[in-house]
Amino acid sequence: MNKIIDLPKIIDPRGNLTVAEQLKNVPFEIKRVYWVYDVPGGECRGGHSHKECKEFIIAVSGSFTVTLDDGKNKHTYLLNHPYQGLFVDTDTWRTLDDFSSGAVCLVLASELYEEEDYIREYEDFLEYIKSE
């Protein structure tokens, strides 16, 4: 189930620290990590779904919105705290928008990159989830 998960925030006058641990506060084994940055104003990222890969999305700097769509309902999340992550389950269409200047989007993924896992057309996504 898609949801915001609070990560541990260790407050220190020298600077705060947050940790994400697989199978503890990240609900899967992490097999891949990537980050998105320098997104030009007005651009959109995502625009796809995964058949097998689960993701945990964190705004490590700045902010952006993530809209999740299960084919029936849409929900938009504002990510703007580096101590929170958004768990995105399989069979969920996602788009990332409204990136602030300097925003960095960190993604922890449950699977290695495989193009066959992606559904890149929304109509194909709707057909796929109907067949599930």
Side-chain angles (χ1 to χ4, degrees):
M1 179 166 99
N2 305 312
K3 65 179 178 176
I4 293 282
I5 297 174
D6 287 328
L7 298 169
K9 180 179 179 184
I10 300 155
I11 298 173
D12 188 301
R14 301 168 299 161
N16 298 334
L17 182 139
T18 292
V19 63
E21 296 177 305
Q22 66 181 2
L23 304 174
K24 188 172 181 182
N25 41 39
V26 176
F28 53 78
E29 182 179 325
I30 301 165
K31 294 187 180 174
R32 181 169 55 114
V33 176
Y34 63 93
W35 48 99
V36 178
Y37 55 96
D38 292 342
V39 177
E43 287 298 319
C44 174
R45 296 293 309 207
H48 63 268
S49 178
H50 290 284
K51 299 172 190 171
E52 300 295 326
C53 187
K54 298 175 175 128
E55 293 182 331
F56 193 75
I57 303 173
I58 304 166
V60 293
S61 182
S63 65
F64 51 89
T65 59
V66 181
T67 300
L68 302 181
D69 178 349
D70 65 7
K72 296 177 184 164
N73 301 298
K74 289 183 183 181
H75 190 83
T76 299
Y77 300 86
L78 172 64
L79 296 184
N80 62 352
H81 299 296
Y83 56 86
Q84 289 182 328
L86 176 61
F87 172 65
V88 182
D89 210 343
T90 58
D91 303 336
T92 304
W93 188 265
R94 82 279 326 269
T95 55
L96 288 74
D97 296 289
D98 304 321
F99 284 82
S100 68
S101 178
V104 179
C105 169
L106 178 70
V107 181
L108 311 177
S110 69
E111 305 299 325
L112 299 174
Y113 175 83
E114 289 187 30
E115 181 59 33
E116 302 78 37
D117 184 53
Y118 284 75
I119 302 172
R120 296 194 182 271
E121 298 296 329
Y122 188 71
E123 293 304 318
D124 294 342
F125 164 71
L126 293 176
E127 287 300 315
Y128 178 80
I129 59 173
K130 283 182 191 174
S131 67
E132 286 286 291

